[in-house]
Amino acid sequence: MVHDPHRTHGQPAGQARTPASKAGGERIAKALARAGVGSRRDVERLIAEGRIALNGQVLTSPAVKVEPGDILTLDGAVVGEAEPTRLFRYHKPVGLLTSHKDPQGRPTVFGALPEGLPRLISVGRLDINSEGLLLLTNDGELARALELPQAGVLRRYRARAHGRITQERLDKLKDGITVEGVRYGSIDAKLDKAKEGPQGANLWITVTLSEGKNREVRRVLEALGLKVNRLIRLAYGPFVLGTLALGEIEEVGPRVIREQLAEHIAPENMPKGDRPQFQKAATPTPSRRGKPPPEGTLIERGPRRLDEPRARPAGPRGGRPASKGERPAGPGRPAAPKRARPVGEGEGPKKKVFKAGWAKPKPKASHSPKKPGGPKRRG
């Protein structure tokens, strides 16, 4: 899949040249999945829509193999070589559709991502009203492997629901449940918190499952008489939401990928090194001469200049607090003059303080007249 505009191979192009039954080459669905176009199922759908071309010929069947030097295009854009596998954790907010494009024009997850990222696809989906951890990768084969129920990858959710339920009824979900003709496998549900209200109870339930069918958590809990009004995905396999901020994306390091996902990644796609390529943009510190930051913003200041006076906070240790009725100084308003203290108010004669190591002052001679009677005699 090397882009070579001067390619002069004498072989016929496209389906006429490379039937899937012959040996050699790689199936087009697998090749495009490794390049991050999508899973194999997604590639087959794109071919059926007439959006994939091989060496300029639009494909109508996925039964085609790709050889080195072939040019693959998607919607007219050349698909590059497969890169080492990369994985990202994304905290999806409510209101974003897990899709690249939406015919109705609704905002999407991939439209909200920052610049500087490769072409990514999602591992599973979160509906528009759900939030939490969403894994993104450039490896379609990895995405498909983590989505399959046979892989046994656990997904953990926390649901807030309205209604009444007991732990005994939730325990029955471990045997599976059928809802509207759809069979759902074993589900582990724990009742974390229940708060009674005038019209029912507000519940928090932790749900762990391994299938991840479309709207599975909502449909199963609604079959038990509960109304889910908030759904958060906390974990997908070994990866957790943690402290990732809402709408933030963070790349998983290559070493973690090798340790946790080696069985799901082809050797030629295994990443090397230890540090992720994508670095989150640091939040810029507002300038002192610029607009003041919003209230509550923490600004890190550098060391104080030598010619900069030290700020003294108001209070018992930083100076005299403003008295009642006194307006503090501000822009365009001079500070109120200090109230003059009458002489002698609150002050007495200063008393000398004896300090250790100093000589004691000698007592001053008294000039008062001596009492009559003369000195006392010893008896």
Side-chain angles (χ1 to χ4, degrees):
M1 294 186 299
V2 178
H3 177 38
D4 185 4
H6 303 290
R7 183 173 176 272
T8 58
H9 297 297
Q11 302 173 356
Q15 292 161 272
R17 174 183 59 79
T18 318
S21 58
K22 290 186 179 181
E26 185 179 30
R27 281 186 173 271
I28 189 170
K30 182 177 180 181
L32 290 177
R34 289 181 53 234
V37 173
S39 65
R40 296 190 188 187
R41 184 177 299 177
D42 293 335
V43 173
E44 293 174 357
R45 177 179 52 82
L46 293 173
I47 292 176
E49 296 173 356
R51 300 171 60 185
I52 302 293
L54 173 62
N55 300 328
Q57 181 178 354
V58 177
L59 300 180
T60 58
S61 171
V64 177
K65 286 191 175 182
V66 181
E67 295 180 358
D70 287 339
I71 302 175
L72 285 170
T73 57
L74 169 62
D75 296 333
V78 177
V79 179
E81 292 278 354
E83 297 181 354
T85 298
R86 298 174 67 181
L87 186 68
F88 297 82
R89 294 186 307 123
Y90 176 64
H91 190 165
K92 176 193 173 299
V94 174
L96 295 182
L97 197 67
T98 309
S99 176
H100 286 88
K101 295 181 181 179
D102 180 51
Q104 303 178 18
R106 292 173 294 181
T108 66
V109 166
F110 298 98
L113 297 179
E115 297 181 357
L117 295 173
R119 179 179 176 85
L120 299 173
I121 58 177
S122 64
V123 180
R125 295 175 181 270
L126 285 175
D127 63 62
I128 194 170
N129 295 320
S130 299
E131 57 188 297
L133 178 64
L134 182 65
L135 295 182
L136 306 174
T137 179
N138 65 337
D139 190 341
E141 289 288 283
L142 173 62
R144 183 60 177 165
L146 296 179
E147 292 172 355
L148 290 175
Q150 294 83 349
V153 179
L154 297 179
R155 294 91 153 159
R156 188 168 76 254
Y157 300 82
R158 198 150 193 255
R160 185 180 66 188
H162 184 75
R164 286 187 173 86
I165 195 72
T166 62
Q167 185 61 52
E168 289 75 16
R169 293 184 62 193
L170 293 175
D171 290 340
K172 295 180 181 180
L173 295 177
K174 294 180 180 180
D175 301 327
I177 185 175
T178 301
V179 180
E180 297 180 355
V182 180
R183 181 65 183 177
Y184 298 100
S186 177
I187 299 175
D188 183 22
K190 300 293 183 183
L191 182 60
D192 299 327
K193 185 178 180 181
K195 185 178 181 181
E196 289 291 337
Q199 299 180 353
N202 293 316
L203 313 172
W204 279 102
I205 304 173
T206 299
V207 181
T208 305
L209 47 88
S210 60
E211 285 186 335
K213 293 181 180 178
N214 185 28
R215 301 177 65 85
E216 180 173 352
V217 176
R218 294 181 183 273
R219 290 178 176 177
V220 168
L221 294 183
E222 287 175 0
L224 299 179
L226 303 177
K227 179 62 176 178
V228 178
N229 47 43
R230 188 178 181 186
L231 184 61
I232 310 169
R233 182 190 280 168
L234 301 178
Y236 198 112
F239 306 101
V240 298
L241 181 63
T243 58
L244 196 64
L246 187 67
E248 189 177 19
I249 187 170
E250 183 177 86
E251 184 171 5
V252 179
R255 181 177 57 84
V256 178
I257 294 178
R258 293 193 300 269
E259 293 176 353
Q260 300 290 341
L261 304 174
E263 58 181 320
H264 304 297
I265 302 176
E268 59 271 19
N269 282 9
M270 193 67 67
K272 299 180 181 179
D274 294 329
R275 296 184 179 180
Q277 302 179 39
F278 178 76
Q279 300 293 336
K280 295 183 295 184
T283 304
T285 302
S287 172
R288 294 182 182 178
R289 298 184 180 181
K291 296 181 179 180
E295 184 178 356
T297 303
L298 179 62
I299 303 178
E300 296 183 0
R301 295 189 57 183
R304 184 174 58 90
R305 300 192 310 269
L306 296 178
D307 59 343
E308 181 182 0
R310 185 184 299 274
R312 300 183 63 185
R317 297 186 180 181
R320 181 182 60 86
S323 59
K324 185 177 181 180
E326 181 180 305
R327 298 179 63 187
R333 184 172 64 251
K338 295 183 178 180
R339 183 173 61 90
R341 177 181 294 180
V343 178
E345 179 182 339
E347 295 183 357
K350 294 184 178 181
K351 185 178 181 180
K352 292 185 178 182
V353 180
F354 170 74
K355 297 183 179 180
W358 288 22
K360 294 183 179 181
K362 294 181 180 180
K364 292 183 179 180
S366 176
H367 299 285
S368 59
K370 294 182 179 181
K371 295 181 179 180
K376 294 182 180 181
R377 297 181 180 179
R378 296 181 179 179

